[in-house]
Amino acid sequence: MHVFPSKEWCEALIAAIHADPQSAVAGRGLQGDLAAAILPEPPLDEPFVVYARTRDGKVLEFRMLEDLDEIEEIKPAYVARAGYQTWKKLVSSELDPIEALLQRKIQFAGDLQPIIERAQFKDLFWRLLGKVPTKFI
């Protein structure tokens, strides 16, 4: 069981992504770096911020960031920010990721078009999340 959010949970998700051959199909042609920030909401007291560099459905680099300011220093191609409760709903499959983006439940910076074009792969998103045994804080 991996606690969400944690470095271990992220590493388990990356392992699931790399183990699934459909991830390469879904990510074909998609490259760039991204930062994701889970903003504090009870029970999360401090932001949880990660950075990843991806190419063609593979995570080439992953690391934890110290704080939200580091996102501005790195200037990744994509940035997703949302409160803990929104991320929890995404991870537990209660909230559709494309709908969350379109309804602005997730603050997103970057070219949204390549993400929307991959909407048909949202079942892959659910399947990968389902492979990570998750315990919420």
Side-chain angles (χ1 to χ4, degrees):
M1 200 58 83
H2 303 283
V3 174
F4 178 85
S6 67
K7 180 179 182 184
E8 293 74 22
W9 186 91
C10 294
E11 289 170 342
L13 178 60
I14 291 167
I17 290 168
H18 288 179
D20 193 305
Q22 195 176 9
S23 293
V25 174
R28 188 173 295 131
L30 184 63
Q31 57 187 347
D33 55 347
L34 64 98
I38 303 174
L39 305 175
E41 287 179 347
L44 187 66
D45 295 328
E46 296 182 13
F48 181 85
V49 190
V50 296
Y51 168 84
R53 186 170 49 87
T54 66
R55 180 179 303 134
D56 296 326
K58 298 291 181 190
V59 179
L60 305 176
E61 177 187 355
F62 165 79
R63 63 186 161 113
M64 307 289 299
L65 300 182
E66 291 289 321
D67 55 38
L68 294 168
D69 292 337
E70 237 183 304
I71 293 173
E72 302 308 319
E73 294 169 17
I74 295 171
K75 297 185 186 331
Y78 300 99
V79 179
R81 292 180 180 153
Y84 172 79
Q85 295 302 325
T86 297
W87 285 106
K88 181 179 177 183
K89 288 178 183 176
L90 285 166
V91 169
S92 62
S93 303
E94 295 174 30
L95 181 61
D96 181 281
I98 301 300
E99 287 179 22
L101 286 170
L102 296 175
Q103 295 171 0
R104 301 188 190 278
K105 292 181 179 180
I106 300 173
Q107 299 169 356
F108 187 83
D111 185 4
L112 194 54
Q113 190 60 37
I115 307 301
I116 300 298
E117 288 171 357
R118 287 165 174 79
Q120 74 268 24
F121 293 108
K122 70 180 176 183
D123 289 340
L124 171 64
F125 178 77
W126 299 130
R127 190 171 73 245
L128 293 171
L129 287 173
K131 291 182 179 183
V132 180
T134 302
K135 177 183 176 186
F136 296 100
I137 57 171

